[in-house]
Amino acid sequence: MNSITGTPSRPQSPSPQERDRGRDRKTLRIVYMGTPDFAVESLRVLVEGGYRVVGVVTMPDKPAGRHGSVLQSSPVKQYAQRQGIPVLQPEKLKDEAFLAALRALKADLQIVAAFRMLPEVVWNMPPLGTFNLHASLLPQYRGAAPVNWALINGEKETGVTTFFLTHEIDTGHILCRRRLPIAVTDDAGSLHDKLMTLGAALVIETVDLLLASGGQADTIPQETLTASGVELRPAPKLFKDTCRINWQQSAGAVRDFIRGLSPSPAAWTEWMAADAAPQSMKIFRSESLPERHALSPGAVRTDGCSYLDVAATDGFVRLLSVQLAGKRQMDMKDFLNGLKQAAVTVR
């Protein structure tokens, strides 16, 4: 452990003499690691801010198209290629050829955003260490889907955090954090974009902090930010079964669940019409209606032309935008107008 900052061990930081030679944003060699759109914004502000990104590491191209005959590059790769930045796409992060190529980039610092869990041989490589951008206020919402779970759980605030990587996922010592209120109108799409922009600014702040301190910035152990008795909420990866709506809960909880998964991967339920096979229905927008009723959760009420409500335990959830399997997404009025057989319940 570092006796000054309490940070996990990593290669020895430069001496004061080395730091005095003028390492700045134009000479600091950065390797950036990320894959999806969320990671592109931080890379963009680094490049446009004059920071020296000497290489990018991203996921291998994936088959796309109807028959998987076309290879699709990640958004980060596409941006890096437009900027003329060398790109590495390892299948395995411990592959010797990849490690040799990574060492050859001679990075002073590595930055990770929405990538993969790195082995120590990778995150411990550069002299200034490797920091990660995470879309939550750590230690809350460690895991793959922090944006979604903050909304699903009805949080009023979230944020972004940068921290040094260590062995356990999302547990390293914190460098910087920024808070962000969650608006009642936010869904996963809008909150993702807000955090993406805020996170990019935090990446710049963190790099500048490390430059100013010569890699000796003060850090905060995550355990010191957890008040006694406060529950740590996880943010595990989302699967199809995770996204199925449970109508046996409050209308507000159902609405939060729907907005926490909209627009992707989208909350879903089964549409049960009389004398017809159940159909999968995705729900993208809804509102909660507190209202006493005697219906079973999942029961449907509708006027057949303008609204459709589903019973929850303490009221109704009014569905505003939906999509049946194999159909296009529709507002409720259009959906009801084209409906041949109304559902009597969902499940």
Side-chain angles (χ1 to χ4, degrees):
M1 301 293 288
N2 185 304
S3 60
I4 298 176
T5 65
T7 54
S9 299
R10 57 183 189 274
Q12 185 175 348
S13 298
S15 68
Q17 291 78 12
E18 290 174 314
R19 294 196 295 273
D20 287 342
R21 290 174 189 158
R23 181 182 279 137
D24 57 22
R25 68 175 57 182
K26 294 182 179 180
T27 59
L28 181 76
R29 298 177 65 85
I30 296 172
V31 166
Y32 187 86
M33 303 184 182
T35 295
D37 288 325
F38 183 88
V40 175
E41 182 66 8
S42 293
L43 177 58
R44 184 188 68 80
V45 298
L46 284 166
V47 172
E48 295 184 4
Y51 295 83
R52 190 179 183 187
V53 180
V54 297
V56 159
V57 183
T58 190
M59 294 290 286
D61 295 352
K62 291 185 176 181
R66 185 172 181 181
H67 302 291
S69 57
V70 178
L71 289 178
Q72 180 70 42
S73 300
S74 74
V76 163
K77 178 182 177 180
Q78 293 175 40
Y79 178 83
Q81 288 183 322
R82 291 196 298 270
Q83 302 302 317
I85 303 171
V87 177
L88 301 178
Q89 295 178 272
E91 291 281 354
K92 298 180 180 180
L93 294 175
K94 292 184 179 180
D95 180 78
E96 285 300 327
F98 163 67
L99 293 175
L102 187 60
R103 290 189 189 98
L105 293 173
K106 298 180 180 178
D108 299 305
L109 175 69
Q110 291 175 160
I111 301 171
V112 182
F115 192 48
R116 300 155 62 181
M117 186 172 180
L118 302 182
E120 182 176 1
V121 68
V122 173
W123 58 255
N124 208 18
M125 189 178 292
L128 297 186
T130 300
F131 76 78
N132 187 89
L133 170 67
H134 189 73
S136 81
L137 294 173
L138 290 174
Q140 292 290 359
Y141 295 103
R142 294 168 176 159
V147 178
N148 306 95
W149 285 105
L151 287 164
I152 289 170
N153 289 331
E155 301 287 1
K156 300 297 188 292
E157 180 185 60
T158 185
V160 286
T161 304
T162 53
F163 65 96
F164 279 123
L165 289 188
T166 187
H167 292 95
E168 299 299 324
I169 189 167
D170 296 339
T171 60
H173 289 207
I174 290 171
L175 285 155
C176 303
R177 294 200 303 175
R178 290 264 188 100
R179 297 179 179 274
L180 178 73
I182 298 177
V184 294
T185 55
D186 273 328
D187 62 13
S190 64
L191 189 58
H192 167 281
D193 292 350
K194 291 177 182 179
L195 291 171
M196 178 177 68
T197 301
L198 187 65
L202 192 67
V203 164
I204 296 299
E205 179 182 331
T206 304
V207 174
D208 289 347
L209 176 67
L210 292 172
L211 277 171
S213 65
Q216 294 296 314
D218 290 337
T219 59
I220 303 172
Q222 290 193 32
E223 55 268 24
T224 65
L225 297 175
T226 306
S228 178
V230 173
E231 175 189 5
L232 288 183
R233 290 181 161 180
K237 186 177 180 179
L238 298 168
F239 298 94
K240 182 177 180 181
D241 286 347
T242 315
C243 300
R244 185 168 185 168
I245 298 170
N246 172 19
W247 297 100
Q248 297 276 354
Q249 56 182 331
S250 71
V254 174
R255 177 186 177 271
D256 285 339
F257 188 80
I258 291 168
R259 71 185 185 124
L261 296 170
S262 179
S264 179
W268 66 278
T269 190
E270 282 194 334
W271 178 260
M272 304 287 291
D275 302 322
Q279 301 180 69
S280 176
M281 172 193 276
K282 291 182 177 180
I283 305 173
F284 299 95
R285 290 189 298 113
S286 67
E287 61 182 356
S288 57
L289 305 175
E291 182 180 334
R292 284 189 173 186
H293 63 79
L295 298 176
S296 298
V300 170
R301 72 174 186 182
T302 178
D303 65 355
C305 61
S306 63
Y307 72 84
L308 188 149
D309 301 336
V310 180
T313 58
D314 65 347
F316 291 91
V317 179
R318 177 156 292 180
L319 308 189
L320 302 176
S321 179
V322 300
Q323 181 180 20
L324 284 177
K327 306 293 184 179
R328 65 180 179 87
Q329 182 179 337
M330 289 180 279
D331 289 339
M332 184 49 60
K333 288 184 179 180
D334 293 335
F335 175 78
L336 290 172
N337 185 52
L339 193 63
K340 295 180 180 179
Q341 191 174 27
V344 296
T345 187
V346 297
R347 67 178 186 187

